[in-house]
């Protein structure tokens, strides 16, 4: 951003989720359960120029850190995202999100007869990553494929 006017000011402490594919910032907020009623200072920047992506979204959240599970969920909908941890106005940690080869507990299998859907079976849903872009995962138990539409449906409906 050097040499250009900042659209929103820098934050003092918190998390900046940068390089979100344009149009997905609100999905990221939804995944994090941020409604605005928490009282946290949040900045959402949409459709700004990015050298790498053409256009991108940015989400800045003061005084909030992400759990590994939240980072995995963000990786599912925003595979290009960078998570920056800010302390005392400095970026102290920067990493790209990366989907793990196996994903546990984050998504549910779409097959209603899958063992992971049986109420009395304590089998946690588990998926193997088949493709990153577009995202495709396969249930380890029944072989069902979860695609990007299923992922968005589950994460955005808030049941995931
Ligand atoms: N940022 C912020 N508040 C700070 C520090 C950084 O909001 N106190 C934001 C910046 O505006 C930017 C992101 O965090 O959106 C990453 O900051 P920085 O690493 O300084 O920017 P770049 O070098 O442009 O990042 P990258 O190389 O990842 O594109
Ligand atoms: Zn299954």
């Amino acid at each position: 951003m050097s040499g250009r006017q900042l659209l929103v000011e820098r934050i003092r402490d918190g998390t900046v989720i940068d390089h979100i594919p344009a149009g997905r910032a609100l999905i990221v907020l939804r995944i994090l359960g941020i409604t605005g009623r928490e009282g946290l200072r949040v900045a959402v920047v949409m459709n700004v120029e990015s050298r790498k992506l053409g256009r991108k979204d940015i989400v800045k959240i003061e005084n909030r850190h992400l759990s590994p599970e939240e980072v995995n969920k963000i990786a599912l909908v925003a595979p290009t995202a960078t998570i920056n941890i800010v302390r005392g106005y400095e970026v102290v940690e920067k990493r790209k999100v990366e989907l793990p080869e196996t994903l546990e507990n984050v998504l549910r299998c779409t097959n209603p007869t899958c063992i992971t859907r049986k109420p009395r079976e304590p089998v946690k849903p588990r998926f193997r990553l088949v493709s990153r872009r577009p995202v495709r995962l396969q249930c380890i138990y029944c072989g069902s494929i979860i695609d990007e539409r299923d992922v968005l449906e589950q994460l955005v409906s808030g049941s995931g």
Side-chain angles (χ1 to χ4, degrees), residues 1 6 9-11 16 18-19 52 58 60 82 84 86 89-91 94:
M1 295 287 264
L6 288 170
E9 55 191 280
R10 309 201 131 225
I11 64 171
V16 176
D18 199 355
H19 304 117
K52 293 173 210 164
I58 309 171
K60 303 186 182 196
T82 311
N84 298 275
V86 177
Y89 289 102
E90 298 291 325
V91 174
K94 180 192 289 285

Side-chain angles (χ1 to χ4, degrees), residues 1-2 6-19 43 45 50-52 56-62 82-96:
M1 295 287 264
S2 56
L6 288 170
L7 197 54
V8 289
E9 55 191 280
R10 309 201 131 225
I11 64 171
R12 185 166 67 188
D13 293 288
T15 304
V16 176
I17 308 163
D18 199 355
H19 304 117
V45 178
S50 157
R51 244 174 298 135
K52 293 173 210 164
K56 68 173 180 180
D57 289 359
I58 309 171
V59 170
K60 303 186 182 196
I61 315 158
E62 269 193 333
T82 311
I83 313 276
N84 298 275
I85 297 171
V86 177
R87 283 204 199 99
Y89 289 102
E90 298 291 325
V91 174
V92 294
E93 196 186 317
K94 180 192 289 285
R95 64 198 154 84
K96 290 203 60 157

Side-chain angles (χ1 to χ4, degrees), residues 109 111 114 116 139 141-144:
C109 188
N111 168 10
C114 180
T116 60
C139 175
Y141 299 97
C142 75
S144 293

